[in-house]
Amino acid sequence: MVLGFLLLWVGAVLFLNGLWLMGKIEDREIVVVNVISGLVASAVVLQSVFGAGANADSIRAGALTLLFATTYFWVAYNRLSGVDGRGLGWFSLFVAITLIPVIIRAYGSVSNGAEFWLATNWLIWAVLWFMYFLLLALGKPILKQTALVTLLAGIVTGWLPGFLLLDGLM
């Protein structure tokens, strides 16, 4: 259930951030969903890393989830402070590179459809973070593409599976 809870909020923040990148939501307004999603992800991190059942796998999952929380808080900070986002862009490169062995490990251990789906999610998220690096740190003119991929990733990797998990359909 915790995964469904987290993914629903990942879906919300990615979907809305995609709309924001398309100019459909104001800078100051996008702060709300990024802060809430950052708090949700942080709560999952705390439970995974410091909860009663914490083990090597949950701590690893918590460390990876903290990459999401940090990104959401950073987006919120950037919108409130008016900075240009280059720092977030470089952090996004760090995340994209960090996810390479995660993706290799995930695909290497696939034994069912759910594991393949999760490995593919990691690949989509890594591509998305790399796009943020290109857009924010290097200033590449890929805003429209990044916005669309963000919105679609929100639906495919977060919103839909999160809802299905919470509803017991997946």
Side-chain angles (χ1 to χ4, degrees):
M1 276 306 224
V2 171
L3 181 59
F5 175 73
L6 177 61
L7 287 176
L8 182 68
W9 281 97
V10 167
V13 74
L14 290 177
F15 179 79
L16 292 169
N17 280 344
L19 291 173
W20 163 66
L21 289 169
M22 292 174 181
K24 308 280 187 207
I25 298 173
E26 272 190 52
D27 279 2
R28 291 173 294 164
E29 207 173 8
I30 200 64
V31 170
V32 174
V33 74
N34 278 280
V35 169
I36 291 171
S37 297
L39 290 171
V40 165
S42 294
V44 171
V45 168
L46 291 173
Q47 186 261 339
S48 298
V49 174
F50 302 109
N55 59 36
D57 288 337
S58 71
I59 292 170
R60 181 177 174 275
L64 295 173
T65 302
L66 190 53
L67 298 172
F68 287 86
T70 302
T71 301
Y72 306 145
F73 285 131
W74 207 323
V75 169
Y77 170 78
N78 286 356
R79 299 305 21 105
L80 291 173
S81 67
V83 298
D84 64 10
R86 283 182 292 167
L88 177 57
W90 286 104
F91 175 74
S92 297
L93 176 63
F94 167 82
V95 175
I97 292 170
T98 299
L99 292 184
I100 293 170
V102 172
I103 294 163
I104 292 168
R105 179 180 179 184
Y107 277 117
S109 65
V110 166
S111 63
N112 59 47
E115 290 175 358
F116 180 80
W117 163 79
L118 186 57
T120 302
N121 280 359
W122 283 115
L123 177 61
I124 292 168
W125 293 325
V127 167
L128 190 55
W129 263 302
F130 188 71
M131 291 179 79
Y132 295 145
F133 162 70
L134 294 174
L135 177 69
L136 297 170
L138 300 185
K140 299 293 182 187
I142 59 167
L143 179 60
K144 287 181 182 177
Q145 297 89 336
T146 305
L148 183 60
V149 172
T150 302
L151 186 138
L152 293 175
I155 295 168
V156 173
T157 68
W159 185 1
L160 182 59
F163 179 80
L164 292 173
L165 283 166
L166 287 173
D167 235 19
L169 299 173
M170 189 169 136

